[in-house]
Amino acid sequence: MLAKEMSARDEVSETGGEGTARPSPPRPKVRLRMINAKVSRGSALFFGGLPFLFVAIAYLAASAQRLAVNPSDKLLPSPVQMWSAFLDLATVPDKRSGDLILWVDTYASLIRLFAGVGVATFAALSLGIAIGFIPRVRAFLLPFVTVVCVIPPLALLPILFIALGLGETAKITLIAVGVAPVMVRDIANRVRELPPELVAKAQTLGGNSWTMVLRLVLPQVMPRLITCVRLALGPAWLFLIAAEAIASTEGLGYRIFLVRRYLSMDVILPYVAWITLLAVITDWLLVRLSRAVSPWAHPVEAR
Amino acid sequence: MSRIVVHGLEKSYGDARVLERVNVTAEAGEFLSLVGASGCGKSTFLRILLGQEQQSSGVVIVGDGPIVPEPTPQRGIVFQRYSVFPHLTAIQNLLLVEDFRSGGPFGRVFGARRRNARQEAEAMLARVGLAHARDLYPASLSGGMLQRLAIAQTLLGRPQILLLDEPFGALDPGIRVEMHDLLTELWTEHGMTVVMVTHDIGEAFKLGTRVLVFDKVRHDPQFPSAYGATITYDLKLDRKTRASSHHLAKVAAMVGTTRPETAMATTAS
């Protein structure tokens, strides 16, 4: 009976008291502080687009000016030139190998990127949780991970190429070694920041170390892990392009550094834009993934 | 269901002594209210009973033997905050209890056992008046609903001893009265031993069968943390003394926080 009363009370408080809609009085015109002035959706779009527009106009103007002086100028190609070069790479088979270069490059690069980041994510999840949750593992591994974290990964690149050869393994390892330590530390910290009340409560409900990892730590850490991957993708692209620039036979980074010799800005610029597009799409997908996997961590969207 | 014996308990953090010479014996089924000024160590005492912290010296016996120095299903806990798992909906929070209890490699029960667990969870959810909030995440529950869910979850663990750390401290007065009624009903149904830490003396008198006051008896003006608090007043309540203004005023004066009239009003509610 009591329960019924209580639930009824909650429903009333949730729906709110006043049902009658009164016309709201006109808002007084006040000059708000800068930090309180809200931006409408339309003006947010407009202002957000401005920097892009500015860069595009500046480029177009400079390009048109140079091309007017010297039509065979290569430094600032016109959009038409870039588009045709890009279309050639995407649709016309290469004379020597018969490949569609853009797609071969993209495929090779993405495989390397995702393999490297995938290995790093797995390491972050398993090592990070172990270090954060189990004091013995923390004592054993945390000093080592902390030291590995400060080694500049690019300094390891020659070692990797010597030790692992010039193949895919070295490139994937560079990406994994480059981003994993930071991710491991981040996840370990996040696990240690779990409210001790939750861990205590899980134990009073009979959780053992393993079931608590599965049912408490893993789901709690998931949104942070995805954020971690999003942040790691920036450095991952950096290591990928560095590795491809030095030793590779295909890949987005390889292509950019290859055509640099011929000053082919009409290829380099579209490639940079293409890489940017791939990165943006990956990031967007990860945000979606986070919302799908951990709806509780995004309460505004869930409502 | 399980008695608690504490003898000569002492707790220090480095040089600072928080608790000293704490002796108390609670019979099975008692409802102990712990009151005292802020920082007097009553929450530390509760965390020792929980197993989250260990005493520096002294004996704590819970049930048949010395206390296990880690939280176990024998002792359930409801905290003031972080009392339910934010990544699970209300019903999932309750289902988790059976999953944890099974302790299998997947941390999850299946088949008939899951169906039973679901039935039990639904019944418990309805019992605490949260059937309508079944699929909501804790982030969208109010403070009172969260604590009801927390109590339901803890009770599903079937603890012999229920520990409450200021469970209603953050709630509105009206909701608090509802929670008092709910807790009293559940305590009567399940008959476990309850230890509750509270700032609200009225609440302590209203719910408890026994009120324990924690306070310092020795003071060193040169080194305030030299001595810890101990139990200075141990009052067994029965139906007659429960609403006695005399005792209430006495305890209120000892704790020095709540005005006796307000405490009286809470007790009467």
Side-chain angles (χ1 to χ4, degrees):
Chain A
M1 196 205 119
L2 181 71
K4 238 183 230 168
E5 273 171 25
M6 283 191 300
S7 64
R9 189 194 183 106
D10 278 329
E11 270 150 25
V12 169
S13 69
E14 269 163 23
T15 49
E18 289 184 32
T20 49
R22 233 179 285 158
S24 56
R27 243 188 238 172
K29 289 259 177 204
V30 211
R31 209 176 157 73
L32 295 174
R33 286 182 188 80
M34 267 205 278
I35 56 161
N36 291 330
K38 297 273 183 299
V39 182
S40 74
R41 208 178 152 75
S43 54
L45 269 177
F46 172 73
F47 285 114
L50 268 187
F52 294 97
L53 199 68
F54 177 76
V55 170
I57 289 173
Y59 181 86
L60 289 177
S63 161
Q65 207 174 16
R66 280 188 76 103
L67 288 172
V69 178
N70 174 13
S72 58
D73 176 64
K74 299 193 79 170
L75 282 192
L76 298 179
S78 71
V80 180
Q81 288 170 314
M82 287 194 278
W83 177 247
S84 73
F86 187 69
L87 218 56
D88 274 1
L89 289 169
T91 55
V92 180
D94 183 43
K95 285 189 202 90
R96 197 162 350 126
S97 61
D99 294 330
L100 295 173
I101 287 176
L102 175 74
W103 304 114
V104 171
D105 285 346
T106 306
Y107 179 74
S109 287
L110 286 185
I111 291 280
R112 288 168 192 149
L113 186 79
F114 291 143
V117 173
V119 170
T121 308
F122 181 73
L125 204 55
S126 45
L127 285 180
I129 288 180
I131 290 173
F133 208 44
I134 304 169
R136 276 184 196 154
V137 179
R138 187 182 314 144
F140 175 53
L141 282 179
L142 190 59
F144 182 71
V145 171
T146 311
V147 169
V148 169
C149 232
V150 294
I151 302 176
L154 282 182
L156 293 177
L157 189 53
I159 303 176
L160 294 178
F161 277 142
I162 293 169
L164 302 172
L166 298 177
E168 298 298 298
T169 324
K171 299 183 194 81
I172 292 171
T173 311
L174 175 72
I175 296 172
V177 168
V179 298
V182 182
M183 290 174 77
V184 171
R185 276 182 79 183
D186 195 43
I187 294 299
N189 281 337
R190 178 71 190 82
V191 173
R192 289 188 71 180
E193 282 164 13
L194 281 179
E197 287 91 346
L198 288 186
V199 182
K201 174 113 191 195
Q203 293 179 75
T204 62
L205 296 178
N208 61 35
S209 301
W210 173 242
T211 50
M212 278 193 289
V213 165
L214 279 185
R215 302 302 308 274
L216 171 62
V217 180
L218 205 58
Q220 285 274 327
V221 144
M222 218 49 189
R224 183 63 211 170
L225 181 77
I226 293 176
T227 308
C228 236
V229 173
R230 287 175 63 195
L231 293 174
L233 274 167
W237 275 103
L238 169 73
F239 299 133
L240 172 75
I241 289 171
E244 286 181 344
I246 291 172
S248 193
T249 53
E250 75 285 293
L252 297 167
Y254 161 76
R255 194 68 52 196
I256 290 177
F257 276 80
L258 181 73
V259 300
R260 177 190 62 96
R261 297 174 204 167
Y262 316 116
L263 240 57
S264 294
M265 289 292 268
D266 55 342
V267 173
I268 296 177
L269 287 175
Y271 256 61
V272 173
W274 177 242
I275 291 174
T276 311
L277 181 69
L278 291 175
V280 169
I281 292 175
T282 322
D283 192 66
W284 180 77
L285 285 176
L286 284 169
V287 174
R288 294 293 302 264
L289 179 71
S290 181
R291 282 185 197 163
V293 174
S294 317
W296 60 275
H298 308 271
V300 181
E301 286 86 3
R303 249 168 233 168
Chain B
M1 288 206 282
S2 200
R3 59 189 244 131
I4 304 171
V5 180
V6 176
H7 184 74
L9 179 135
E10 192 178 307
K11 176 70 185 174
S12 323
Y13 296 100
D15 277 346
R17 189 175 290 183
V18 181
L19 292 170
E20 60 181 22
R21 297 178 295 143
V22 177
N23 300 305
V24 62
T25 303
E27 294 306 326
E30 275 197 284
F31 193 131
L32 270 58
S33 297
L34 312 185
V35 295
S38 295
C40 70
K42 53 193 193 299
S43 284
T44 306
F45 181 70
L46 196 80
R47 281 201 295 275
I48 292 173
L49 286 184
L50 173 62
Q52 210 180 9
E53 290 189 33
Q54 275 71 53
Q55 70 269 32
S56 308
S57 69
V59 184
V60 181
I61 293 169
V62 176
D64 306 325
I67 190 167
V68 185
E70 65 172 2
T72 68
Q74 182 190 31
R75 290 154 276 149
I77 177 84
V78 175
F79 293 104
Q80 182 178 358
R81 294 172 61 225
Y82 301 114
S83 45
V84 291
F85 300 100
H87 60 277
L88 299 172
T89 61
I91 185 79
Q92 286 170 341
N93 258 293
L94 298 189
L95 283 172
L96 182 69
V97 179
E98 185 63 23
D99 289 342
F100 269 145
R101 187 182 293 138
S102 77
F106 305 107
R108 198 176 274 276
V109 292
F110 302 98
R113 212 169 155 191
R114 183 155 200 89
R115 281 195 298 278
N116 288 341
R118 184 168 285 277
Q119 266 174 10
E120 201 185 352
E122 302 265 12
M124 184 54 99
L125 212 54
R127 175 70 191 82
V128 297
L130 285 178
H132 63 295
R134 192 176 175 278
D135 295 316
L136 293 181
Y137 283 102
S140 38
L141 298 182
S142 69
M145 294 159 90
L146 279 179
Q147 290 311 79
R148 269 186 259 160
L149 183 60
I151 292 174
Q153 189 183 39
T154 303
L155 286 182
L156 275 182
R158 293 196 276 278
Q160 296 165 15
I161 294 168
L162 178 61
L163 306 173
L164 306 168
D165 192 359
E166 295 184 33
F168 314 131
L171 304 182
D172 297 333
I175 306 288
R176 221 184 251 219
V177 173
E178 281 178 6
M179 298 298 297
H180 291 164
D181 296 343
L182 176 68
L183 183 61
T184 311
E185 285 177 25
L186 292 171
W187 174 60
T188 321
E189 281 168 33
H190 293 255
M192 64 273 181
T193 315
V194 182
V195 181
M196 177 178 75
V197 166
T198 179
H199 272 302
D200 183 343
I201 293 168
E203 184 175 279
F205 273 82
K206 182 182 172 189
L207 298 178
T209 56
R210 197 168 157 191
V211 175
L212 303 178
V213 181
F214 279 70
D215 202 2
K216 287 186 181 186
V217 283
R218 300 190 285 176
H219 291 277
D220 181 343
Q222 264 72 44
F223 184 30
S225 57
Y227 299 116
T230 185
I231 296 176
T232 53
Y233 195 59
D234 181 347
L235 179 67
K236 281 206 165 65
L237 299 170
D238 53 37
R239 288 270 164 249
K240 271 183 219 156
T241 52
R242 176 150 301 198
S244 143
S245 56
H246 162 69
H247 289 299
L248 211 82
K250 199 165 164 188
V251 171
M254 288 172 123
V255 176
T257 46
T258 318
R259 297 159 64 86
E261 308 88 73
T262 20
M264 203 59 208
T266 312
T267 315
S269 68

